[in-house]
Amino acid sequence: MRKYLIAGNWKMNLVPSKAKEFAEELVDNLKKINDDIIVMVAPPFTALEGVSNIIKGSKIKLGAQNINDNEDGAYTGEISADMLLDIGVEYVIIGHSERRHIYNENNEFINKKVLKALSKGLKPILCVGELLSERETGDTEKVVREQVVKCLNGVSREQMVNLVIAYEPVWAIGTGKVATPEQAEEVHAFIRKLIEELYDKDTASDLIIQYGGSVKPDNIDGLMVKENLDGALVGGASLKVDSFCRLVNFNK
Ligand code: PEP
């Protein structure tokens, strides 16, 4: 049975002292989480270690927002898999649309990061999703297919158990414009079918596919009832204790 993964991407918010306070509040408020729900927070790099120490022993997992595709060496400003692992990071968000569009990361580069993360035992959350203009020209499936195929190049069937895909339509991220449950379900079902084509039925049915894009307490329940939606990757609404806890405790 697939679990739901509710993940908070804090982006470039919360200085380390505030991040620690916030993590303490989350730990206090999320003592009881259903067994079929995994909760993860992805603080900025400077807050990772502090948050790691606070959530240790709780049900909250730690994620990073990026990773470098090299082992170590002369890569000024970058963070390696070993650095993340050493402070207790388990998940890493890769290919977020802000990295694709602001920092020009392409599918080939994202693929290298996915391979590096998996080879080190980190769990990548691979983000895919179309632009509004691509949806309007009917190219959503074409774009998502290309992203999935290229970013998973060289990923083995065995490694797929550690990978999560987040479908995040770019037009829904941080805009308040959430995809309807039907729009999201259509793309999630398409991704699962594609994974079956690329791997096999079991790999596809075990894969966690999160939805991301303006998920809020008042729309999560309608999204999560859909068969192929297995949780949410959340930006804005993950930055308030009440709203993030409500998301974690969504009604199925
Ligand atoms: C995101 O950044 O992955 C995201 C989904 O942001 P928001 O929830 O704010 O739309």
Side-chain angles (χ1 to χ4, degrees), residues 9 11 96 98 168 172-175 212-216 233-237:
N9 174 10
K11 308 194 184 186
H96 190 279
E98 285 150 18
E168 299 208 303
I173 298 177
T175 58
S214 297
V215 175
K216 304 265 181 306
L233 180 54
V234 186

Short mmCIF file of all heavy atoms in Angstrom, two decimals, residues 9 11 96 98 168 172-175 212-216 233-237, ligand 1:
data_model
loop_
_atom_site.label_atom_id
_atom_site.label_comp_id
_atom_site.label_asym_id
_atom_site.label_seq_id
_atom_site.Cartn_x
_atom_site.Cartn_y
_atom_site.Cartn_z
N ASN A 9 8.15 22.58 1.71
CA ASN A 9 9.34 23.19 1.11
C ASN A 9 9.40 24.63 1.61
O ASN A 9 8.62 25.47 1.17
CB ASN A 9 9.20 23.14 -0.42
CG ASN A 9 10.32 23.88 -1.13
OD1 ASN A 9 11.30 24.28 -0.51
ND2 ASN A 9 10.16 24.07 -2.44
N LYS A 11 11.63 26.78 1.18
CA LYS A 11 12.30 27.68 0.22
C LYS A 11 13.30 28.59 0.95
O LYS A 11 13.93 28.16 1.90
CB LYS A 11 11.28 28.48 -0.58
CG LYS A 11 10.22 27.58 -1.22
CD LYS A 11 9.40 28.27 -2.26
CE LYS A 11 8.31 27.32 -2.76
NZ LYS A 11 7.55 27.84 -3.87
N HIS A 96 12.95 21.28 -8.92
CA HIS A 96 11.83 22.19 -8.63
C HIS A 96 11.73 23.23 -9.74
O HIS A 96 12.74 23.66 -10.30
CB HIS A 96 12.07 22.86 -7.27
CG HIS A 96 10.87 23.61 -6.78
ND1 HIS A 96 10.57 24.88 -7.22
CD2 HIS A 96 9.87 23.26 -5.94
CE1 HIS A 96 9.44 25.28 -6.65
NE2 HIS A 96 9.00 24.32 -5.86
N GLU A 98 11.30 26.29 -9.69
CA GLU A 98 12.07 27.53 -9.48
C GLU A 98 13.53 27.31 -9.88
O GLU A 98 14.20 28.24 -10.36
CB GLU A 98 11.94 27.98 -8.01
CG GLU A 98 10.56 28.60 -7.78
CD GLU A 98 10.00 28.44 -6.38
OE1 GLU A 98 10.78 28.14 -5.45
OE2 GLU A 98 8.78 28.60 -6.21
N GLU A 168 3.96 19.16 -10.28
CA GLU A 168 3.74 20.55 -9.88
C GLU A 168 3.54 21.42 -11.13
O GLU A 168 4.52 21.89 -11.72
CB GLU A 168 4.95 21.07 -9.10
CG GLU A 168 5.23 20.31 -7.83
CD GLU A 168 5.91 21.21 -6.79
OE1 GLU A 168 6.97 21.78 -7.09
OE2 GLU A 168 5.36 21.36 -5.71
N ALA A 172 0.55 26.73 -11.12
CA ALA A 172 -0.15 26.63 -9.83
C ALA A 172 0.78 26.91 -8.65
O ALA A 172 0.32 27.01 -7.51
CB ALA A 172 -0.75 25.23 -9.69
N ILE A 173 2.08 27.04 -8.92
CA ILE A 173 3.01 27.20 -7.80
C ILE A 173 3.07 28.64 -7.32
O ILE A 173 3.43 29.54 -8.09
CB ILE A 173 4.43 26.72 -8.20
CG1 ILE A 173 4.37 25.23 -8.54
CG2 ILE A 173 5.42 26.97 -7.07
CD1 ILE A 173 5.68 24.66 -9.00
N GLY A 174 2.69 28.83 -6.07
CA GLY A 174 2.75 30.16 -5.45
C GLY A 174 1.79 31.16 -6.04
O GLY A 174 1.89 32.36 -5.79
N THR A 175 0.82 30.69 -6.83
CA THR A 175 -0.08 31.62 -7.52
C THR A 175 -1.46 31.66 -6.89
O THR A 175 -2.27 32.53 -7.22
CB THR A 175 -0.27 31.18 -8.99
OG1 THR A 175 -0.79 29.84 -8.97
CG2 THR A 175 1.02 31.22 -9.76
N GLY A 212 1.75 19.23 -6.20
CA GLY A 212 2.20 20.49 -5.62
C GLY A 212 1.69 21.66 -6.44
O GLY A 212 1.68 21.62 -7.68
N GLY A 213 1.30 22.73 -5.75
CA GLY A 213 0.81 23.92 -6.46
C GLY A 213 -0.37 24.49 -5.70
O GLY A 213 -1.50 24.03 -5.88
N SER A 214 -0.07 25.46 -4.80
CA SER A 214 -1.12 26.16 -4.04
C SER A 214 -2.00 25.21 -3.23
O SER A 214 -3.21 25.45 -3.10
CB SER A 214 -1.95 27.04 -4.98
OG SER A 214 -1.13 28.05 -5.54
N VAL A 215 -1.41 24.15 -2.68
CA VAL A 215 -2.17 23.28 -1.76
C VAL A 215 -2.37 24.03 -0.46
O VAL A 215 -1.43 24.61 0.10
CB VAL A 215 -1.45 21.95 -1.51
CG1 VAL A 215 -2.19 21.12 -0.47
CG2 VAL A 215 -1.31 21.16 -2.81
N LYS A 216 -3.61 24.04 0.00
CA LYS A 216 -3.98 24.77 1.22
C LYS A 216 -4.93 23.90 2.04
O LYS A 216 -5.50 22.95 1.52
CB LYS A 216 -4.74 26.07 0.85
CG LYS A 216 -4.00 27.01 -0.11
CD LYS A 216 -3.25 28.07 0.67
CE LYS A 216 -2.49 29.07 -0.15
NZ LYS A 216 -1.55 28.66 -1.13
N LEU A 233 3.36 18.36 -2.06
CA LEU A 233 4.58 19.15 -1.83
C LEU A 233 4.09 20.59 -1.71
O LEU A 233 3.45 21.12 -2.63
CB LEU A 233 5.54 18.98 -3.02
CG LEU A 233 6.87 19.74 -2.94
CD1 LEU A 233 7.63 19.44 -1.66
CD2 LEU A 233 7.75 19.40 -4.14
N VAL A 234 4.37 21.18 -0.56
CA VAL A 234 3.70 22.44 -0.22
C VAL A 234 4.71 23.54 0.06
O VAL A 234 5.66 23.35 0.82
CB VAL A 234 2.85 22.24 1.07
CG1 VAL A 234 2.03 23.49 1.36
CG2 VAL A 234 1.96 21.02 0.94
N GLY A 235 4.51 24.69 -0.56
CA GLY A 235 5.36 25.84 -0.29
C GLY A 235 4.72 26.73 0.77
O GLY A 235 4.86 26.51 1.97
N GLY A 236 3.97 27.73 0.32
CA GLY A 236 3.41 28.76 1.20
C GLY A 236 2.72 28.23 2.44
O GLY A 236 2.99 28.70 3.56
N ALA A 237 1.84 27.26 2.26
CA ALA A 237 1.04 26.79 3.40
C ALA A 237 1.84 25.89 4.36
O ALA A 237 1.30 25.44 5.36
CB ALA A 237 -0.21 26.05 2.90
C1 PEP B 1 6.25 24.51 -4.26
O1 PEP B 1 7.06 25.42 -4.18
O2 PEP B 1 6.65 23.36 -4.49
C2 PEP B 1 4.85 24.84 -4.09
C3 PEP B 1 3.98 23.95 -4.42
O3 PEP B 1 4.56 26.09 -3.60
P1 PEP B 1 3.10 26.63 -3.17
O4 PEP B 1 2.49 25.56 -2.30
O5 PEP B 1 3.34 27.89 -2.45
O6 PEP B 1 2.33 26.78 -4.44
#
